[in-house]
Amino acid sequence: MTHSAHLLLCLGLACVSAVVGKVSFSVTDCASQKETELMTFPEARLSPYPVPVPGDLSVSGSLRLNRNATGSVSLDVTIERYVGFFWLSVPCISNVGSCTYNDACGLLETNYGAGSGVACPPQVTSTGLRCTCPFPAGTYSMNNAVFNIPELSGLWSWLAEGDYRVTLKLTDNPTGQQLACQKVEATIVDGHPSCSGFLCSIFG
C-alpha cells in the first residue's frame, strides 16, 4: 500500500507542540439534514486507546448506508489539532490534511482501483464492503480488525502525537445537498517502545 493510501485510510477511521490531553474517543453525527443522511456510524471502538503511531490498532464498529452510494460526491475533510487553548486546523499539503476532494469516488479509484496496484485491505473486504464506488445500501460490521498505522515521516512527522478532531462531510455535487457529516475526536500518542535502563541513559 502506498504512503498516501495509508494516510487516507488512517484519516477515513475512522484523521504538534501541544500537551496531549487525551480526549475521549468519539464519533458524532453532525449532519444538518438527518432525514436525507447517506450514512451513519451506530458504533465505533478502538483498541488500544490512545492511538499509537506507529503501531497496531484494533477497530470494531458498524457503518450503515441508508441507500446505494454512487454518483458525483465531494468529500470535505477538516483536521484540527488541539494546541494550547484552541483547535488549530491542519493545512492541506500534497493532497493530505484539511482538504476538499471534489470527486470522492475518483479519489478512491485512484488509490484502490484496478490500475492503482493497491489492494483493498482485507479488513475492509471482510465486512462485505469494497474500496471503490458504488457501495450498496446495508449495514457493515467490523469486529477487532487490526490495522497497522505506519510511521509518519518527513513533513508529516509533527502529526505523530496530539489531540485531534476530524470532520468529514459528503456533499452531492449536482444539487449541493449535504449527504453525511461525521466528527471524530481522538488522541494520538508516540507508538515507539519506551526506553529504560542503563544503556538508554547513555544512548537515549
Side-chain angles (χ1 to χ4, degrees):
M1 186 179 296
T2 64
H3 186 61
S4 61
H6 263 303
L7 287 174
L8 287 168
L9 179 61
C10 294
L11 288 174
L13 284 164
C15 340
V16 164
S17 56
V19 176
V20 179
K22 294 181 176 57
V23 298
S24 298
F25 171 69
S26 65
V27 179
T28 306
D29 192 326
C30 51
S32 58
Q33 299 171 308
K34 297 188 184 299
E35 66 278 4
T36 59
E37 275 190 295
L38 174 65
M39 66 178 186
T40 56
F41 292 88
E43 59 175 334
R45 300 183 303 279
L46 302 178
S47 180
Y49 188 79
V51 178
V53 175
D56 290 335
L57 180 66
S58 176
V59 179
S60 298
S62 59
L63 163 68
R64 180 179 298 126
L65 288 175
N66 297 318
R67 57 187 182 278
N68 294 343
T70 186
S72 181
V73 176
S74 65
L75 170 64
D76 183 71
V77 180
T78 302
I79 303 174
E80 300 168 284
R81 182 171 182 270
Y82 194 72
V83 180
F85 299 98
F86 59 92
W87 290 95
L88 179 67
S89 180
V90 176
C92 182
I93 301 175
S94 299
N95 218 31
V96 177
S98 298
C99 305
T100 296
Y101 307 97
N102 293 320
D103 182 6
C105 285
L107 178 68
L108 291 172
E109 186 66 30
T110 298
N111 282 279
Y112 297 103
S116 69
V118 179
C120 187
Q123 301 94 322
V124 175
T125 57
S126 66
T127 69
L129 273 173
R130 49 187 290 178
C131 287
T132 55
C133 299
F135 302 101
T139 299
Y140 302 90
S141 298
M142 185 175 289
N143 185 28
N144 294 324
V146 178
F147 293 86
N148 178 261
I149 303 178
E151 178 123 29
L152 298 180
S153 59
L155 182 64
W156 295 105
S157 60
W158 67 285
L159 292 174
E161 187 172 12
D163 295 327
Y164 288 90
R165 183 167 64 192
V166 180
T167 304
L168 306 172
K169 295 180 181 179
L170 288 176
T171 304
D172 181 69
N173 283 330
T175 65
Q177 181 184 59
Q178 186 184 97
L179 299 176
C181 178
Q182 297 291 325
K183 185 176 293 184
V184 181
E185 290 192 2
T187 294
I188 293 176
V189 294
D190 186 354
H192 291 96
S194 59
C195 188
S196 62
F198 174 71
L199 291 178
C200 289
S201 64
I202 299 176
F203 299 105

